Amino acid sequence: MLQILNESLIELHINGEIRKALARPSDTLLFFLRERLGLTGAKPGCENGDCGACTVLVDGWPVKSCLMLAAEAIGHEVTTIEGLDKVPIQQAFVDKFAFQCGYCTPGFIMNCQGLINIHPDASDEVIHEWLQSNICRCTSYQEIMEAIRSVLPSQ
Amino acid sequence: MSAIDQPVRKKDAMALVTGKPVYTQDIAPKDCLVVKLLGSPHAHALIKEIDIGPALQVPGIECILTYKDVPDSRFTLAGQTYPEPSPYDRLILDQRLRYVGDAVAIVAGENEKAVEEALDLIKVQYEVLQPVLDFRRALDHEVIIHPEENWKSLAPVGADNRRNLCASEEVEYGDVDQVISECEWIIEQTYHTKANQQVMMETFRTFTHLDTFGRLVCVSSTQVPFHVRRILANAIGIPKSQIRVIKPRIGGGFGAKQTAVSEIYPAIVTWKTGKPAMIIYTRRESFTSSSPRHEMEIRVRLGADKEGIIRGIDVYTLSNTGAYGEHGPTTVGLSGHKSIPLYGKVEAFRFGYDVVYTNVMSAGAYRGYGATQGCFAVESAVNELAAKMQMDPVRIREINMVRQGQVMPAYYGEKLNSCALDRCMAKAKAMIGWDDKYPCKDMGNGKIRSVGVAMTMQGSGISGVDTASVSIKVNDDGFYSMSIGATDMGTGCDTSLAQIAAECLDCSVENIIVSGVDTDASPYDTGSYASSTAYVTGNAVVKTCAALRQRIKAEGSAQLGCPVEDIEIDGEKVYRVDTDESISLKDLANGAMCGNSNALSATESFSSPVSPPPFVVGMAEVEIDKETGKVDLIDYVAVVDCGTVINTNLARVQTEGGIAQGIGMALYEDIKYTEKGQMVSNSLMQYKIPSRLDVGTIRVAFESSYEPTGPFGAKSIGEVVINTPSPAIANAVYNGVHVNIRELPITAEKVYMGMHKEK
């Protein structure tokens, strides 16, 4: 069984690399990514799991990194926005003007990327359901919807 | 035109979609002290004793400040032009605490854990006082919220702290009582709009440090860098010359960041300790200790003749500014000045208001700035008038609306030079299918579908006050650097202002590098608020470009050896009109870097004597569950007259976003307090903003007028788009089930109760 006491060096698989840094048992994955590794793409918006601005992929599934401990991510494949290599959904967000301030955007993009991986055949209903997990205050979500539609093979 | 009315991509788009470190917290030094505040547990109390001894012993604690450690000189956090209309009623820390969450102490330490521990160890003895929580009873209440001698109002706004009065005024045009008494139809009703949170995704945050010269550098997520410089100088008691404010990318503002909510705390820590310091508001703190919309109760009395011509409007607004007066005296004005002028046949009006202090969190600026509240009240009253007369609410607007060319007595006597309100109404009507759907249709499954309408106006900057300056210089190879003091908070003004410059200089938008804002380097701008950026700063761009063109021509005449009158520019080259001789801008710019005494740069300022109003017509289609009263928004149509559209996509997205916020205000959002003044709606689980599933379909169209005083005919768009959903949805509810909801939000409970009361 994994046991971490006090501050310990942990090893995570992040964006295809092995990254080692100190973590306390109570450190969230979000804190670890931002403060220990300098990966600031995931944004703290509420640190309560409500807004989704800190969404990353864990083994391909979107996870709110403020709700996961860094230690829980050991042995899993974590992908942050910094790990996306100009994937179509990023260009689609630009082309469709799917943001204003951009603060929620990395979270939305990671969520959309998860959807693309897991449900390439997603219907509008599935897209609506997935988009509900993130909040944007600048837009009406319509362009985000258009962006995801434009890159899904099924649409 | 090549760059205007185009869907030009946002300049920061690639950085944002790749998650680059561009926001305040992303770029903060790693060694910043963590700054947190101890908040008051009481709505009204005095600190009798405060013991920080044990807290100071916590390893890693750098400093703890209490009211004994800060200057006893009052200031306002409102980001407004000096002399601010908002009263000087704040200290950084005060012995008197005026709302639950009001700052008791500032704690700074090496890490969050130590700071949290120290916060727990601060021992405070409070003398708990009676709070004033009902804003209807605040005026002349026996409890005075600001009894202090050094409370100060800089501007003649009718304030009196001994009466809990932050501002008061009454203006009258014609004899409104007489005119209304002659009317066939009279409506008198009172409407209540709640405080709303801006809920920008990036909460308040600031870091500060000292530079090489010992000056205070403040990097902050703010809409008003130059005002923040003055506010920090006032608060800490140091010269403005010792302060530099920098704005990185901003994760949304919507007016929240027109108040210096977070800056003073790390600033005083850095000034006292010499060390870098950072404060990050949690979402909870952002809810409980910030700057939401002013709660208002608005009484509207209006009279119409037998044909439905509205002849007189009488509006009285009671506004709740909370514990401090930020934006109190100014937001309230818009509740009348931006609602009454929509009705162009009014012969007489009166507009009066009182703004009162209470023991809840201070209100501030939120998109719409009082116009939103006034729009809900006056538009709802007009809808009630139409219903009483059994007239179509679209029709009553068509026969009453203000028209281009009219002088508007209720809008500071300004002449309306551009107005497509009539076309907006016609288009909205066609888009939603009003004639087929009004008033409602029973769906046969226990649900009713119905439609509703509202119209609105805002301003374009604050006339005679807002000031924008722009500097543009020609660099080698002929590219331009444009410095602005306006703050792109996501709205995209770095891009839209570059479009205006590109249009003026006949070049591509990519050829304009935009930088802003750093108060040491950027030209002065009041900041991005009051719907000012496109119009006021946009005009400054036009003016600067004109001056720069003259400079380029002068250099061209020197290099080509001919009189300046013979020189023209086409964006690529400078040429003689009388011969074929020309020099490319690239060669001219590079040439100007050798042995030249003519700076190829220009700086100009702009301020407008007028504030041309943009207009929106909003129409909502809702579905109401007859059994539960639940209202679902099916379709929302907004048709906008913002003058010439600068960036078609940014304008559309901004409109949709404003409508979505307005829908939240109409249906869901409500700041709730316990009877002791504790806020209960302090997380996104309690304070519900719309998600993808809540906004229905929002459809936006533009019907542009041409504003002769605007840059390429443009007016503003930022705020006006939030105003229509509340009254339009309320109207749709009435048209469906004959219930008038006069207090927001429009919850299922209120609709249900209304249906059963009125039966």
Side-chain angles (χ1 to χ4, degrees):
Chain A
M1 197 181 89
L2 175 72
Q3 195 176 17
I4 300 177
L5 292 172
N6 303 320
E7 204 162 48
S8 316
L9 199 62
I10 66 166
E11 196 176 284
L12 293 188
H13 293 244
I14 294 173
N15 299 333
E17 293 175 15
I18 294 174
R19 302 289 301 265
K20 289 182 198 172
L22 289 171
R24 290 166 301 189
S26 60
D27 284 346
T28 62
L29 179 57
L30 174 63
F31 178 88
F32 186 80
L33 291 171
R34 290 186 60 93
E35 303 301 322
R36 296 285 184 249
L37 302 182
L39 294 170
T40 55
K43 303 297 179 198
C46 67
E47 299 187 73
N48 199 39
D50 303 330
C51 78
C54 65
T55 304
V56 300
L57 298 182
V58 177
D59 299 333
W61 283 84
V63 165
K64 290 166 180 174
S65 63
C66 71
L67 292 183
M68 188 179 209
L69 295 176
E72 288 181 288
I74 294 171
H76 298 279
E77 202 59 54
V78 178
T79 310
T80 70
I81 188 114
E82 290 91 345
L84 298 186
D85 186 17
K86 297 211 171 98
V87 294
I89 188 66
Q90 288 173 302
Q91 189 60 45
F93 264 64
V94 173
D95 294 342
K96 300 290 179 189
F97 283 62
F99 54 90
Q100 273 205 321
C101 81
Y103 197 80
C104 71
T105 306
F108 264 107
I109 286 179
M110 297 316 288
N111 190 23
C112 290
Q113 187 65 18
L115 177 66
I116 294 161
N117 293 339
I118 292 158
H119 292 296
D121 56 347
S123 63
D124 275 2
E125 203 178 335
V126 172
I127 301 174
H128 278 297
E129 197 183 320
W130 275 59
L131 289 187
Q132 215 192 162
S133 71
N134 292 47
I135 290 174
C136 167
R137 190 60 157 171
C138 292
T139 76
S140 69
Y141 306 95
Q142 288 182 171
E143 285 73 18
I144 297 173
M145 187 81 191
E146 284 170 29
I148 178 90
R149 272 187 185 145
S150 75
V151 297
L152 275 177
S154 63
Q155 292 273 331
Chain B
M1 287 189 186
S2 56
I4 304 293
D5 202 17
Q6 295 295 321
V8 176
R9 194 179 97 179
K10 268 175 67 127
K11 280 184 171 285
D12 53 5
M14 264 308 159
L16 300 182
V17 299
T18 52
K20 291 282 183 291
V22 293
Y23 302 96
T24 302
Q25 192 184 0
D26 301 345
I27 58 172
K30 283 288 166 222
D31 58 347
C32 279
L33 294 170
V34 173
V35 178
K36 283 187 172 290
L37 306 176
L38 179 67
S40 168
H42 305 292
H44 197 188
L46 287 173
I47 298 171
K48 280 169 71 179
E49 266 186 59
I50 183 161
D51 178 10
I52 59 170
L56 273 173
Q57 299 306 311
V58 175
I61 291 301
E62 178 72 28
C63 89
I64 298 179
L65 304 174
T66 72
Y67 71 91
K68 296 167 190 164
D69 306 308
V70 301
D72 185 28
S73 173
R74 291 189 187 267
F75 58 92
T76 178
L77 293 179
Q80 298 178 301
T81 297
Y82 179 85
E84 300 96 316
S86 299
Y88 278 21
D89 56 8
R90 281 213 190 235
L91 300 175
I92 298 175
L93 297 166
D94 203 337
Q95 190 176 9
R96 180 181 292 269
L97 305 164
R98 297 181 178 81
Y99 70 94
V100 176
D102 207 356
V104 174
I106 304 170
V107 180
E110 285 170 10
N111 58 66
E112 193 166 335
K113 191 164 171 280
V115 173
E116 296 280 3
E117 196 179 332
L119 284 169
D120 283 345
L121 291 172
I122 297 175
K123 290 194 171 51
V124 192
Q125 268 190 43
Y126 298 99
E127 180 187 340
V128 180
L129 305 172
Q130 184 192 345
V132 181
L133 294 170
D134 181 355
F135 78 125
R136 297 176 187 91
R137 295 183 56 225
L139 186 61
D140 295 322
H141 196 283
E142 59 186 12
V143 175
I144 299 173
I145 294 167
H146 284 279
E148 58 275 5
E149 289 301 320
N150 61 355
W151 179 97
K152 189 163 64 175
S153 173
L154 277 62
V157 296
D160 183 351
N161 60 319
R162 311 299 304 184
R163 300 183 64 203
N164 289 334
L165 189 59
C166 174
S168 177
E169 193 184 62
E170 184 175 292
V171 291
E172 193 167 352
Y173 172 84
D175 187 343
V176 75
D177 292 325
Q178 177 65 30
V179 168
I180 291 179
S181 72
E182 292 164 9
C183 287
E184 302 276 319
W185 301 96
I186 296 171
I187 291 288
E188 181 166 359
Q189 285 296 349
T190 301
Y191 303 88
H192 184 190
T193 59
K194 299 295 192 63
N196 296 129
Q197 304 273 8
Q198 297 88 351
V199 200
M200 59 285 163
M201 294 315 296
E202 181 200 36
T203 58
F204 301 95
R205 51 200 59 203
T206 303
F207 72 82
T208 48
H209 60 90
L210 299 185
D211 72 5
T212 313
F213 313 103
R215 295 166 73 232
L216 179 69
V217 181
C218 169
V219 180
S220 191
S221 182
T222 179
Q223 295 171 229
V224 285
F226 287 94
H227 292 330
V228 166
R229 183 171 69 184
R230 182 188 63 250
I231 291 165
L232 288 177
N234 285 348
I236 305 174
I238 59 176
K240 297 182 185 79
S241 61
Q242 290 300 301
I243 303 169
R244 173 182 181 187
V245 180
I246 296 169
K247 168 219 79 101
R249 300 323 292 173
I250 304 176
F254 315 118
K257 294 170 183 172
Q258 196 199 337
T259 299
V261 169
S262 58
E263 286 85 353
I264 53 176
Y265 306 111
I268 191 161
V269 167
T270 292
W271 194 250
K272 292 219 180 235
T273 64
K275 296 189 175 181
M278 175 159 67
I279 193 164
I280 306 287
Y281 273 50
T282 62
R283 180 57 64 184
R284 185 192 171 101
E285 288 163 340
S286 212
F287 274 128
T288 59
S289 313
S290 53
S291 59
R293 189 185 293 290
H294 287 77
E295 177 184 26
M296 290 186 190
E297 190 173 78
I298 303 173
R299 193 187 69 228
V300 183
R301 192 162 64 102
L302 49 83
D305 69 13
K306 60 182 187 302
E307 268 79 44
I309 300 299
I310 298 170
R311 296 181 55 205
I313 304 182
D314 183 8
V315 174
Y316 169 78
T317 303
L318 179 67
S319 173
N320 182 1
T321 195
Y324 301 96
E326 275 92 20
H327 302 280
T330 38
T331 44
V332 71
L334 277 65
S335 69
H337 294 306
K338 303 268 159 81
S339 57
I340 301 170
L342 284 166
Y343 294 90
K345 292 180 179 167
V346 164
E347 297 155 38
F349 69 88
R350 176 162 52 216
F351 173 44
Y353 58 75
D354 292 303
V355 184
V356 293
Y357 284 115
T358 60
N359 289 112
V360 297
M361 153 178 59
S362 167
Y366 181 6
R367 196 178 203 170
Y369 204 81
T372 315
Q373 296 94 310
C375 176
F376 174 65
V378 171
E379 289 301 287
S380 291
V382 170
N383 285 330
E384 293 201 43
L385 173 69
K388 198 171 179 181
M389 295 181 64
Q390 296 187 310
M391 191 185 233
D392 184 327
V394 168
R395 177 75 194 140
I396 202 165
R397 288 180 172 79
E398 286 169 344
I399 62 173
N400 280 293
M401 68 172 57
V402 69
R403 304 272 168 167
Q404 188 164 307
Q406 273 189 268
V407 172
M408 300 176 288
Y411 192 62
Y412 321 109
E414 280 189 24
K415 187 179 173 198
L416 186 53
N417 289 318
S418 60
C419 175
L421 190 54
D422 49 349
R423 282 188 276 136
C424 292
M425 187 65 76
K427 184 148 194 172
K429 208 177 158 181
M431 281 172 73
I432 206 155
W434 180 270
D435 289 337
D436 293 334
K437 292 174 179 169
Y438 172 78
C440 64
K441 182 182 175 191
D442 198 313
M443 304 302 284
N445 57 355
K447 295 186 175 170
I448 289 183
R449 284 202 181 186
S450 53
V451 287
V453 61
M455 60 188 192
T456 190
M457 62 182 274
Q458 198 84 31
S460 299
I462 307 171
S463 53
V465 175
D466 282 351
T467 299
S469 313
V470 170
S471 299
I472 305 180
K473 61 179 178 178
V474 186
N475 300 291
D476 30 354
D477 287 359
F479 76 95
Y480 301 94
S481 311
M482 178 164 80
S483 292
I484 57 173
T487 54
D488 188 338
M489 61 183 123
T491 47
C493 75
D494 286 357
T495 308
S496 54
L497 293 172
Q499 286 178 255
I500 294 174
E503 185 69 21
C504 295
L505 297 168
D506 298 309
C507 68
S508 74
V509 177
E510 288 71 39
N511 216 29
I512 312 278
I513 310 300
V514 183
S515 67
V517 178
D518 173 344
T519 56
D520 273 5
S522 307
Y524 180 78
D525 194 297
T526 37
S528 289
Y529 59 89
S531 296
S532 60
T533 307
Y535 181 77
V536 183
T537 313
N539 267 322
V541 171
V542 171
K543 213 172 148 184
T544 305
C545 288
L548 185 62
R549 284 182 78 105
Q550 287 308 315
R551 291 247 159 173
I552 296 171
K553 280 186 186 174
E555 181 61 20
S557 85
Q559 293 198 16
L560 292 173
C562 69
V564 72
E565 296 77 37
D566 294 341
I567 294 285
E568 263 310 332
I569 313 167
D570 69 1
E572 293 287 314
K573 63 181 188 301
V574 177
Y575 61 95
R576 289 182 66 160
V577 287
D578 53 341
T579 68
D580 280 346
E581 213 180 343
S582 72
I583 179 169
S584 71
L585 188 63
K586 177 180 172 181
D587 289 342
L588 179 130
N590 290 339
M593 294 193 159
C594 177
N596 171 36
S597 305
N598 169 30
L600 281 183
S601 66
T603 301
E604 293 291 334
S605 292
F606 179 83
S607 180
S608 175
V610 293
S611 176
F615 298 93
V616 174
V617 170
M619 292 191 185
E621 182 178 5
V622 302
E623 185 173 273
I624 306 159
D625 188 321
K626 286 196 283 185
E627 202 171 333
T628 63
K630 183 168 185 287
V631 178
D632 284 321
L633 185 66
I634 305 296
D635 190 14
Y636 202 94
V637 165
V639 185
V640 182
D641 167 19
C642 59
T644 301
V645 178
I646 305 287
N647 186 312
T648 46
N649 278 358
L650 287 176
R652 190 190 72 244
V653 173
Q654 197 167 5
T655 304
E656 291 169 358
I659 297 294
Q661 288 185 4
I663 290 167
M665 177 187 181
L667 293 174
Y668 311 111
E669 299 178 29
D670 194 1
I671 299 179
K672 290 180 179 164
Y673 291 95
T674 65
E675 58 190 21
K676 289 189 169 172
Q678 294 266 2
M679 188 190 294
V680 289
S681 46
N682 60 10
S683 83
L684 288 164
M685 293 301 268
Q686 279 91 24
Y687 188 89
K688 295 186 184 194
I689 68 170
S691 81
R692 174 64 195 133
L693 293 186
D694 302 314
V695 293
T697 306
I698 297 172
R699 294 183 291 147
V700 171
F702 292 90
E703 275 295 334
S704 298
S705 60
Y706 187 91
E707 171 53 42
T709 66
F712 299 101
K715 298 188 280 190
S716 81
I717 193 165
E719 294 182 278
V720 70
V721 292
I722 199 175
N723 297 339
T724 59
S726 295
I729 292 171
N731 184 225
V733 169
Y734 176 81
N735 291 333
V737 294
H738 284 197
V739 174
N740 280 304
I741 302 293
R742 302 189 184 100
E743 181 192 80
L744 296 177
I746 303 165
T747 59
E749 187 183 357
K750 288 177 195 168
V751 176
Y752 177 90
M753 299 298 271
M755 284 163 71
H756 290 266
K757 196 178 91 190
E758 297 193 6
K759 261 179 191 167

